[in-house]
Amino acid sequence: MNVILEKEYKHLLEQIRDPDRRSWIFLNAASIGDTAAVCAIAQAFLKQHGHSITIVVPPDHVAITQMYPNRFRRVHTAERSLVNMVANKYLDPVRFEIDVPIYPHPYVQGDCRLHELLNLCKYPGRGGMSQTDMIRHLLRLPWDAQFERPTVPAQWDAEAEQIARQIGLVKDESVILFPANNSPHPQFPDVFWETVAARLTQRGLKVFCNMRGGTYRPDTMPIAGTTPIDVQMHQALSLVNYAGRIVSSATGMQLLVLMGGRFKQMTVTMPISKTVEFRMNQRQYHSTAFMAQYIYPEFLPGVPFAEFSVPYDGTPQELKEIAIAIADDAFDHQSCVKRMGTNGRTFLEEQDIWLRQLMAPLPENT
């Protein structure tokens, strides 16, 4: 490191390091889901390595750290651009020590090729490596290190219930759509989301559309036939729990809600082309690389969850058909993705016993 870079780096470390006590330093400037995953593994990390943790997150992610009380000695906020600059200019992937920042994300750490192991899952029977296992690997944790579920303070639940009553969200008989995404996933034509909303309404459910966040959105927001709602970070788990159901694109918020496990049904829409593999950030991926059943399967046992492959480049009729299947909970539809095991059952069914050991039990009121 040259003299100028070393001076910049030392200045940044002075801001990030705990002034009173040495600690591990976790950096995260990525999605809500990435922050949630790192927070969820913090207890296992402390058990394995000792000491304490300082976590550096964007200001809008502080609420996630509050869902994991007593796991962090210090929560430091920094803009994403600053954290990414530190990661790209200064971090040595070989160093793993107290008071030296660690960015435990497989897309960033090391030679940035670790995440390509996800693509091995496209070969049936060959296996691969989940993203959660990659986090364990980067943090030098045992393969059976357990993730924690987020804890929602009682006052947040009370706040969400008050909001729900004000906007007419009917308990256990409502659906919140989360169509927007901060990752550059292809967007579905309006006809898809409009059909989902219309069909849910026909079923007698109240349908709401989250308007908060998401750089990449459908052309029309809110979705026609829905009531707009502004879901803040600390309200998401509580509002979805009150509504009962969530239909979402694959997002960090969706992952956080999934980890909480407080819902009657979660359905995720995966934008899968009929003709080409998915590309993001100048990298090419197989369709399995962003599906929960492949990247964090231990979060799914016992949870009412489904993933649907939706051709964003499909015809209006194809999109309507899948939209109706999603709204109707038609989990036997050909577009409902099921990761298969080796003995004729699904992967989740075959591997249920050991997968459950890798994630804390569901809350009792689920």
PDB file of all heavy atoms in Angstrom, residues 134-159:
ATOM      1  N   MET A 134     -21.226 -20.091   2.158  1.00  0.00           N
ATOM      2  CA  MET A 134     -20.123 -19.200   1.789  1.00  0.00           C
ATOM      3  C   MET A 134     -19.851 -18.184   2.899  1.00  0.00           C
ATOM      4  O   MET A 134     -18.698 -17.848   3.182  1.00  0.00           O
ATOM      5  CB  MET A 134     -20.455 -18.472   0.488  1.00  0.00           C
ATOM      6  CG  MET A 134     -20.504 -19.373  -0.724  1.00  0.00           C
ATOM      7  SD  MET A 134     -20.933 -18.440  -2.212  1.00  0.00           S
ATOM      8  CE  MET A 134     -21.258 -19.795  -3.351  1.00  0.00           C
ATOM      9  N   ILE A 135     -20.914 -17.700   3.543  1.00  0.00           N
ATOM     10  CA  ILE A 135     -20.735 -16.774   4.663  1.00  0.00           C
ATOM     11  C   ILE A 135     -20.025 -17.481   5.811  1.00  0.00           C
ATOM     12  O   ILE A 135     -19.106 -16.927   6.436  1.00  0.00           O
ATOM     13  CB  ILE A 135     -22.100 -16.210   5.109  1.00  0.00           C
ATOM     14  CG1 ILE A 135     -22.701 -15.336   4.007  1.00  0.00           C
ATOM     15  CG2 ILE A 135     -21.956 -15.407   6.405  1.00  0.00           C
ATOM     16  CD1 ILE A 135     -24.117 -14.887   4.282  1.00  0.00           C
ATOM     17  N   ARG A 136     -20.429 -18.714   6.095  1.00  0.00           N
ATOM     18  CA  ARG A 136     -19.734 -19.486   7.126  1.00  0.00           C
ATOM     19  C   ARG A 136     -18.250 -19.630   6.771  1.00  0.00           C
ATOM     20  O   ARG A 136     -17.374 -19.494   7.631  1.00  0.00           O
ATOM     21  CB  ARG A 136     -20.371 -20.869   7.265  1.00  0.00           C
ATOM     22  CG  ARG A 136     -21.791 -20.870   7.822  1.00  0.00           C
ATOM     23  CD  ARG A 136     -22.300 -22.290   8.007  1.00  0.00           C
ATOM     24  NE  ARG A 136     -23.645 -22.313   8.590  1.00  0.00           N
ATOM     25  CZ  ARG A 136     -24.768 -22.405   7.889  1.00  0.00           C
ATOM     26  NH1 ARG A 136     -24.722 -22.498   6.558  1.00  0.00           N
ATOM     27  NH2 ARG A 136     -25.937 -22.414   8.499  1.00  0.00           N
ATOM     28  N   HIS A 137     -17.974 -19.911   5.511  1.00  0.00           N
ATOM     29  CA  HIS A 137     -16.598 -20.092   5.070  1.00  0.00           C
ATOM     30  C   HIS A 137     -15.786 -18.810   5.245  1.00  0.00           C
ATOM     31  O   HIS A 137     -14.664 -18.833   5.776  1.00  0.00           O
ATOM     32  CB  HIS A 137     -16.595 -20.525   3.599  1.00  0.00           C
ATOM     33  CG  HIS A 137     -15.239 -20.551   2.967  1.00  0.00           C
ATOM     34  ND1 HIS A 137     -14.270 -21.466   3.301  1.00  0.00           N
ATOM     35  CD2 HIS A 137     -14.672 -19.743   2.023  1.00  0.00           C
ATOM     36  CE1 HIS A 137     -13.176 -21.244   2.589  1.00  0.00           C
ATOM     37  NE2 HIS A 137     -13.395 -20.206   1.805  1.00  0.00           N
ATOM     38  N   LEU A 138     -16.341 -17.678   4.827  1.00  0.00           N
ATOM     39  CA  LEU A 138     -15.620 -16.409   4.918  1.00  0.00           C
ATOM     40  C   LEU A 138     -15.357 -16.000   6.359  1.00  0.00           C
ATOM     41  O   LEU A 138     -14.361 -15.341   6.653  1.00  0.00           O
ATOM     42  CB  LEU A 138     -16.404 -15.313   4.195  1.00  0.00           C
ATOM     43  CG  LEU A 138     -16.473 -15.426   2.671  1.00  0.00           C
ATOM     44  CD1 LEU A 138     -17.453 -14.411   2.109  1.00  0.00           C
ATOM     45  CD2 LEU A 138     -15.097 -15.241   2.042  1.00  0.00           C
ATOM     46  N   LEU A 139     -16.242 -16.396   7.271  1.00  0.00           N
ATOM     47  CA  LEU A 139     -16.103 -16.029   8.673  1.00  0.00           C
ATOM     48  C   LEU A 139     -15.437 -17.123   9.495  1.00  0.00           C
ATOM     49  O   LEU A 139     -15.441 -17.068  10.727  1.00  0.00           O
ATOM     50  CB  LEU A 139     -17.473 -15.678   9.267  1.00  0.00           C
ATOM     51  CG  LEU A 139     -18.112 -14.406   8.706  1.00  0.00           C
ATOM     52  CD1 LEU A 139     -19.501 -14.194   9.285  1.00  0.00           C
ATOM     53  CD2 LEU A 139     -17.232 -13.185   8.972  1.00  0.00           C
ATOM     54  N   ARG A 140     -14.863 -18.110   8.811  1.00  0.00           N
ATOM     55  CA  ARG A 140     -14.125 -19.188   9.492  1.00  0.00           C
ATOM     56  C   ARG A 140     -14.993 -19.875  10.541  1.00  0.00           C
ATOM     57  O   ARG A 140     -14.574 -20.122  11.680  1.00  0.00           O
ATOM     58  CB  ARG A 140     -12.876 -18.648  10.168  1.00  0.00           C
ATOM     59  CG  ARG A 140     -11.643 -18.530   9.303  1.00  0.00           C
ATOM     60  CD  ARG A 140     -11.730 -17.456   8.259  1.00  0.00           C
ATOM     61  NE  ARG A 140     -10.400 -17.076   7.752  1.00  0.00           N
ATOM     62  CZ  ARG A 140     -10.202 -16.186   6.790  1.00  0.00           C
ATOM     63  NH1 ARG A 140     -11.234 -15.549   6.247  1.00  0.00           N
ATOM     64  NH2 ARG A 140      -8.968 -15.908   6.377  1.00  0.00           N
ATOM     65  N   LEU A 141     -16.231 -20.193  10.167  1.00  0.00           N
ATOM     66  CA  LEU A 141     -17.162 -20.835  11.082  1.00  0.00           C
ATOM     67  C   LEU A 141     -17.353 -22.302  10.722  1.00  0.00           C
ATOM     68  O   LEU A 141     -17.174 -22.699   9.563  1.00  0.00           O
ATOM     69  CB  LEU A 141     -18.517 -20.120  11.041  1.00  0.00           C
ATOM     70  CG  LEU A 141     -18.531 -18.677  11.541  1.00  0.00           C
ATOM     71  CD1 LEU A 141     -19.906 -18.063  11.342  1.00  0.00           C
ATOM     72  CD2 LEU A 141     -18.128 -18.618  13.018  1.00  0.00           C
ATOM     73  N   PRO A 142     -17.737 -23.128  11.684  1.00  0.00           N
ATOM     74  CA  PRO A 142     -18.055 -24.520  11.367  1.00  0.00           C
ATOM     75  C   PRO A 142     -19.254 -24.604  10.429  1.00  0.00           C
ATOM     76  O   PRO A 142     -20.101 -23.700  10.403  1.00  0.00           O
ATOM     77  CB  PRO A 142     -18.380 -25.137  12.733  1.00  0.00           C
ATOM     78  CG  PRO A 142     -18.263 -24.075  13.740  1.00  0.00           C
ATOM     79  CD  PRO A 142     -17.889 -22.797  13.089  1.00  0.00           C
ATOM     80  N   TRP A 143     -19.342 -25.685   9.681  1.00  0.00           N
ATOM     81  CA  TRP A 143     -20.425 -25.829   8.708  1.00  0.00           C
ATOM     82  C   TRP A 143     -21.789 -25.951   9.382  1.00  0.00           C
ATOM     83  O   TRP A 143     -22.818 -25.762   8.738  1.00  0.00           O
ATOM     84  CB  TRP A 143     -20.175 -27.037   7.809  1.00  0.00           C
ATOM     85  CG  TRP A 143     -18.950 -26.897   6.958  1.00  0.00           C
ATOM     86  CD1 TRP A 143     -17.853 -27.709   6.960  1.00  0.00           C
ATOM     87  CD2 TRP A 143     -18.681 -25.881   5.972  1.00  0.00           C
ATOM     88  NE1 TRP A 143     -16.926 -27.270   6.044  1.00  0.00           N
ATOM     89  CE2 TRP A 143     -17.398 -26.153   5.425  1.00  0.00           C
ATOM     90  CE3 TRP A 143     -19.379 -24.764   5.512  1.00  0.00           C
ATOM     91  CZ2 TRP A 143     -16.813 -25.352   4.435  1.00  0.00           C
ATOM     92  CZ3 TRP A 143     -18.795 -23.964   4.527  1.00  0.00           C
ATOM     93  CH2 TRP A 143     -17.539 -24.256   4.005  1.00  0.00           C
ATOM     94  N   ASP A 144     -21.814 -26.263  10.674  1.00  0.00           N
ATOM     95  CA  ASP A 144     -23.102 -26.368  11.369  1.00  0.00           C
ATOM     96  C   ASP A 144     -23.418 -25.121  12.194  1.00  0.00           C
ATOM     97  O   ASP A 144     -24.308 -25.140  13.045  1.00  0.00           O
ATOM     98  CB  ASP A 144     -23.144 -27.608  12.254  1.00  0.00           C
ATOM     99  CG  ASP A 144     -22.065 -27.604  13.336  1.00  0.00           C
ATOM    100  OD1 ASP A 144     -21.200 -26.704  13.317  1.00  0.00           O
ATOM    101  OD2 ASP A 144     -22.083 -28.518  14.190  1.00  0.00           O
ATOM    102  N   ALA A 145     -22.697 -24.008  11.962  1.00  0.00           N
ATOM    103  CA  ALA A 145     -22.994 -22.759  12.664  1.00  0.00           C
ATOM    104  C   ALA A 145     -24.431 -22.330  12.363  1.00  0.00           C
ATOM    105  O   ALA A 145     -24.862 -22.310  11.215  1.00  0.00           O
ATOM    106  CB  ALA A 145     -22.021 -21.667  12.245  1.00  0.00           C
ATOM    107  N   GLN A 146     -25.160 -21.987  13.409  1.00  0.00           N
ATOM    108  CA  GLN A 146     -26.593 -21.712  13.279  1.00  0.00           C
ATOM    109  C   GLN A 146     -26.881 -20.224  13.103  1.00  0.00           C
ATOM    110  O   GLN A 146     -26.288 -19.373  13.763  1.00  0.00           O
ATOM    111  CB  GLN A 146     -27.341 -22.219  14.522  1.00  0.00           C
ATOM    112  CG  GLN A 146     -28.858 -22.142  14.403  1.00  0.00           C
ATOM    113  CD  GLN A 146     -29.556 -22.576  15.676  1.00  0.00           C
ATOM    114  OE1 GLN A 146     -29.570 -21.860  16.671  1.00  0.00           O
ATOM    115  NE2 GLN A 146     -30.143 -23.777  15.639  1.00  0.00           N
ATOM    116  N   PHE A 147     -27.820 -19.913  12.204  1.00  0.00           N
ATOM    117  CA  PHE A 147     -28.323 -18.557  12.028  1.00  0.00           C
ATOM    118  C   PHE A 147     -29.444 -18.305  13.032  1.00  0.00           C
ATOM    119  O   PHE A 147     -30.213 -19.210  13.370  1.00  0.00           O
ATOM    120  CB  PHE A 147     -28.858 -18.348  10.607  1.00  0.00           C
ATOM    121  CG  PHE A 147     -27.786 -18.171   9.570  1.00  0.00           C
ATOM    122  CD1 PHE A 147     -27.144 -19.267   9.011  1.00  0.00           C
ATOM    123  CD2 PHE A 147     -27.417 -16.904   9.141  1.00  0.00           C
ATOM    124  CE1 PHE A 147     -26.152 -19.108   8.050  1.00  0.00           C
ATOM    125  CE2 PHE A 147     -26.434 -16.732   8.182  1.00  0.00           C
ATOM    126  CZ  PHE A 147     -25.801 -17.838   7.636  1.00  0.00           C
ATOM    127  N   GLU A 148     -29.556 -17.071  13.486  1.00  0.00           N
ATOM    128  CA  GLU A 148     -30.638 -16.656  14.380  1.00  0.00           C
ATOM    129  C   GLU A 148     -31.760 -15.995  13.578  1.00  0.00           C
ATOM    130  O   GLU A 148     -31.528 -15.416  12.519  1.00  0.00           O
ATOM    131  CB  GLU A 148     -30.142 -15.620  15.382  1.00  0.00           C
ATOM    132  CG  GLU A 148     -29.340 -16.132  16.529  1.00  0.00           C
ATOM    133  CD  GLU A 148     -29.084 -15.023  17.538  1.00  0.00           C
ATOM    134  OE1 GLU A 148     -28.208 -14.177  17.274  1.00  0.00           O
ATOM    135  OE2 GLU A 148     -29.768 -14.995  18.569  1.00  0.00           O
ATOM    136  N   ARG A 149     -32.944 -16.041  14.138  1.00  0.00           N
ATOM    137  CA  ARG A 149     -34.057 -15.294  13.546  1.00  0.00           C
ATOM    138  C   ARG A 149     -34.131 -13.899  14.179  1.00  0.00           C
ATOM    139  O   ARG A 149     -33.753 -13.717  15.336  1.00  0.00           O
ATOM    140  CB  ARG A 149     -35.380 -16.033  13.761  1.00  0.00           C
ATOM    141  CG  ARG A 149     -35.430 -17.371  13.047  1.00  0.00           C
ATOM    142  CD  ARG A 149     -36.804 -18.004  13.100  1.00  0.00           C
ATOM    143  NE  ARG A 149     -36.751 -19.342  12.533  1.00  0.00           N
ATOM    144  CZ  ARG A 149     -36.823 -19.612  11.233  1.00  0.00           C
ATOM    145  NH1 ARG A 149     -36.977 -18.617  10.370  1.00  0.00           N
ATOM    146  NH2 ARG A 149     -36.755 -20.856  10.792  1.00  0.00           N
ATOM    147  N   PRO A 150     -34.610 -12.911  13.426  1.00  0.00           N
ATOM    148  CA  PRO A 150     -34.738 -11.562  13.998  1.00  0.00           C
ATOM    149  C   PRO A 150     -35.812 -11.516  15.075  1.00  0.00           C
ATOM    150  O   PRO A 150     -36.804 -12.247  15.019  1.00  0.00           O
ATOM    151  CB  PRO A 150     -35.136 -10.712  12.785  1.00  0.00           C
ATOM    152  CG  PRO A 150     -35.767 -11.684  11.827  1.00  0.00           C
ATOM    153  CD  PRO A 150     -35.046 -12.984  12.021  1.00  0.00           C
ATOM    154  N   THR A 151     -35.596 -10.669  16.057  1.00  0.00           N
ATOM    155  CA  THR A 151     -36.557 -10.442  17.133  1.00  0.00           C
ATOM    156  C   THR A 151     -37.181  -9.067  16.944  1.00  0.00           C
ATOM    157  O   THR A 151     -36.458  -8.068  16.821  1.00  0.00           O
ATOM    158  CB  THR A 151     -35.872 -10.511  18.501  1.00  0.00           C
ATOM    159  OG1 THR A 151     -35.292 -11.807  18.673  1.00  0.00           O
ATOM    160  CG2 THR A 151     -36.869 -10.253  19.617  1.00  0.00           C
ATOM    161  N   VAL A 152     -38.497  -9.014  16.921  1.00  0.00           N
ATOM    162  CA  VAL A 152     -39.195  -7.745  16.716  1.00  0.00           C
ATOM    163  C   VAL A 152     -39.654  -7.195  18.067  1.00  0.00           C
ATOM    164  O   VAL A 152     -40.404  -7.869  18.786  1.00  0.00           O
ATOM    165  CB  VAL A 152     -40.408  -7.928  15.781  1.00  0.00           C
ATOM    166  CG1 VAL A 152     -41.161  -6.613  15.619  1.00  0.00           C
ATOM    167  CG2 VAL A 152     -39.961  -8.460  14.429  1.00  0.00           C
ATOM    168  N   PRO A 153     -39.214  -5.999  18.439  1.00  0.00           N
ATOM    169  CA  PRO A 153     -39.671  -5.406  19.700  1.00  0.00           C
ATOM    170  C   PRO A 153     -41.190  -5.252  19.731  1.00  0.00           C
ATOM    171  O   PRO A 153     -41.828  -4.991  18.703  1.00  0.00           O
ATOM    172  CB  PRO A 153     -38.981  -4.028  19.712  1.00  0.00           C
ATOM    173  CG  PRO A 153     -37.786  -4.195  18.832  1.00  0.00           C
ATOM    174  CD  PRO A 153     -38.217  -5.150  17.754  1.00  0.00           C
ATOM    175  N   ALA A 154     -41.762  -5.409  20.897  1.00  0.00           N
ATOM    176  CA  ALA A 154     -43.221  -5.351  21.049  1.00  0.00           C
ATOM    177  C   ALA A 154     -43.784  -4.018  20.566  1.00  0.00           C
ATOM    178  O   ALA A 154     -44.878  -3.962  19.995  1.00  0.00           O
ATOM    179  CB  ALA A 154     -43.599  -5.598  22.517  1.00  0.00           C
ATOM    180  N   GLN A 155     -43.035  -2.930  20.782  1.00  0.00           N
ATOM    181  CA  GLN A 155     -43.546  -1.622  20.375  1.00  0.00           C
ATOM    182  C   GLN A 155     -43.638  -1.499  18.858  1.00  0.00           C
ATOM    183  O   GLN A 155     -44.468  -0.760  18.328  1.00  0.00           O
ATOM    184  CB  GLN A 155     -42.704  -0.481  20.958  1.00  0.00           C
ATOM    185  CG  GLN A 155     -41.243  -0.457  20.546  1.00  0.00           C
ATOM    186  CD  GLN A 155     -40.354  -1.185  21.531  1.00  0.00           C
ATOM    187  OE1 GLN A 155     -40.775  -2.157  22.155  1.00  0.00           O
ATOM    188  NE2 GLN A 155     -39.132  -0.710  21.696  1.00  0.00           N
ATOM    189  N   TRP A 156     -42.777  -2.227  18.133  1.00  0.00           N
ATOM    190  CA  TRP A 156     -42.864  -2.214  16.679  1.00  0.00           C
ATOM    191  C   TRP A 156     -44.124  -2.933  16.218  1.00  0.00           C
ATOM    192  O   TRP A 156     -44.778  -2.506  15.264  1.00  0.00           O
ATOM    193  CB  TRP A 156     -41.619  -2.854  16.059  1.00  0.00           C
ATOM    194  CG  TRP A 156     -40.371  -2.067  16.255  1.00  0.00           C
ATOM    195  CD1 TRP A 156     -40.223  -0.910  16.966  1.00  0.00           C
ATOM    196  CD2 TRP A 156     -39.072  -2.389  15.735  1.00  0.00           C
ATOM    197  NE1 TRP A 156     -38.915  -0.487  16.919  1.00  0.00           N
ATOM    198  CE2 TRP A 156     -38.185  -1.367  16.183  1.00  0.00           C
ATOM    199  CE3 TRP A 156     -38.572  -3.426  14.952  1.00  0.00           C
ATOM    200  CZ2 TRP A 156     -36.831  -1.371  15.850  1.00  0.00           C
ATOM    201  CZ3 TRP A 156     -37.224  -3.430  14.626  1.00  0.00           C
ATOM    202  CH2 TRP A 156     -36.365  -2.414  15.074  1.00  0.00           C
ATOM    203  N   ASP A 157     -44.448  -4.042  16.869  1.00  0.00           N
ATOM    204  CA  ASP A 157     -45.693  -4.747  16.545  1.00  0.00           C
ATOM    205  C   ASP A 157     -46.900  -3.851  16.807  1.00  0.00           C
ATOM    206  O   ASP A 157     -47.837  -3.796  16.005  1.00  0.00           O
ATOM    207  CB  ASP A 157     -45.815  -6.027  17.381  1.00  0.00           C
ATOM    208  CG  ASP A 157     -45.052  -7.201  16.788  1.00  0.00           C
ATOM    209  OD1 ASP A 157     -44.812  -7.208  15.557  1.00  0.00           O
ATOM    210  OD2 ASP A 157     -44.706  -8.125  17.549  1.00  0.00           O
ATOM    211  N   ALA A 158     -46.881  -3.155  17.922  1.00  0.00           N
ATOM    212  CA  ALA A 158     -47.999  -2.275  18.267  1.00  0.00           C
ATOM    213  C   ALA A 158     -48.124  -1.135  17.265  1.00  0.00           C
ATOM    214  O   ALA A 158     -49.236  -0.759  16.856  1.00  0.00           O
ATOM    215  CB  ALA A 158     -47.803  -1.720  19.682  1.00  0.00           C
ATOM    216  N   GLU A 159     -47.005  -0.579  16.848  1.00  0.00           N
ATOM    217  CA  GLU A 159     -47.009   0.498  15.858  1.00  0.00           C
ATOM    218  C   GLU A 159     -47.581   0.007  14.531  1.00  0.00           C
ATOM    219  O   GLU A 159     -48.395   0.679  13.891  1.00  0.00           O
ATOM    220  CB  GLU A 159     -45.587   1.007  15.655  1.00  0.00           C
ATOM    221  CG  GLU A 159     -45.445   2.086  14.591  1.00  0.00           C
ATOM    222  CD  GLU A 159     -43.992   2.473  14.364  1.00  0.00           C
ATOM    223  OE1 GLU A 159     -43.180   2.342  15.306  1.00  0.00           O
ATOM    224  OE2 GLU A 159     -43.663   2.902  13.235  1.00  0.00           O
TER     225      GLU A 159
END
